Amino acid sequence: MIDYIKGKVDRLETTEVVLEAFGVGYSLQISLNTYSALRGQSDTRLYVYEQVRQDAATMLYGFSSCDERDIFMLLLGVSGVGGATARAVISAYSPSELQDIISSEDTRALKSVKGIGQKAAERIIVELRDKVLSLGVSGGSSNDIVDGITIGAKKELSNEAISALTMLGYSSQQAHKAVSSIIKAEPDLPVEQVIKKALKAL
């Protein structure tokens, strides 16, 4: 089992990073929180979760903190929650925010994430309420390190946000409408914040 990979950031996208370590490039699926943590970094260490799919292919997920990986693994343990849905949840909320949401039984916040309905939200709360409290998740969010790069009128960043949302399961039309509305209202938001707001609005 791979616990973590330490290496050079070869390619970074909103939903994926390629880390090069000892001449091998590892493709890891990432959340928006991890994306924020990696921006501007040339070398990093990501904690890893290996998921073996039904077709025997292995999917690697990378996390900037153990807290995020722990929350992701707990979510996977809930019936009906797969890797894509778990990643959408940890993209919408930081580990500390999720701890608060689950502890306070805020089903509405969970239901704002694509793939989470009323029953799934209730299952997450019932099954994870005690477990998240025992994790000792630290306060604060990885969003605190965002470097201030803004979207403004830059079309490429708008496209990046739309691309990330489609990767998370939304249609291009849904993503475009949500992103356009958010950028119009708050033109100086960094791309990951636009995506987070869109995830909660869609």
Side-chain angles (χ1 to χ4, degrees):
M1 176 180 177
I2 301 174
D3 184 57
Y4 67 84
I5 298 174
K6 184 177 181 180
K8 177 183 177 182
V9 178
D10 182 72
R11 186 175 74 250
L12 177 63
E13 299 175 3
T14 47
T15 57
E16 180 186 12
V17 64
V18 174
L19 282 188
E20 182 183 342
F22 301 104
V24 179
Y26 296 90
S27 175
L28 299 105
Q29 301 299 303
I30 59 174
S31 71
L32 292 176
N33 289 319
T34 293
Y35 170 74
S36 295
L38 291 177
R39 291 179 64 185
Q41 301 295 314
S42 58
D43 296 279
T44 191
R45 177 173 68 177
L46 290 184
Y47 299 94
V48 175
Y49 174 78
E50 298 177 75
Q51 184 180 53
V52 180
R53 302 186 305 192
Q54 291 182 344
D55 59 5
T58 300
M59 180 81 76
L60 296 180
Y61 291 88
F63 309 90
S64 60
S65 70
C66 286
D67 286 342
E68 188 180 44
R69 181 175 63 176
D70 289 344
I71 289 283
F72 179 84
M73 292 173 66
L74 287 179
L75 287 166
L76 288 183
V78 177
S79 176
V81 177
T85 301
R87 182 173 65 167
V89 174
I90 64 172
S91 289
Y93 301 105
S94 70
S96 59
E97 287 172 333
L98 275 172
Q99 186 179 53
D100 291 340
I101 286 168
I102 294 171
S103 299
S104 63
E105 303 184 14
D106 189 353
T107 57
R108 183 177 180 181
L110 289 173
K111 284 166 55 183
S112 69
V113 179
K114 183 176 177 61
I116 301 293
Q118 181 65 32
K119 289 184 178 180
E122 291 173 353
R123 282 198 303 270
I124 289 171
I125 288 169
V126 169
E127 296 182 29
L128 303 187
R129 184 170 47 214
D130 295 332
K131 294 178 181 178
V132 295
L133 290 175
S134 66
L135 287 180
V137 172
S138 59
S141 165
S142 59
N143 291 332
D144 294 340
I145 66 172
V146 171
D147 61 12
I149 297 176
T150 59
I151 289 185
K154 295 181 180 179
K155 185 176 180 181
E156 66 273 19
L157 291 183
S158 175
N159 289 340
E160 186 178 358
I162 293 170
S163 175
L165 290 168
T166 56
M167 286 287 290
L168 292 171
Y170 294 94
S171 70
S172 296
Q173 184 177 5
Q174 286 177 309
H176 186 275
K177 183 177 180 181
V179 169
S180 297
S181 176
I182 292 166
I183 291 177
K184 184 177 180 180
E186 300 179 81
D188 293 328
L189 283 178
V191 63
E192 59 270 27
Q193 289 298 321
V194 172
I195 299 169
K196 279 178 172 290
K197 283 181 174 288
L199 283 170
K200 296 172 184 179
L202 286 167

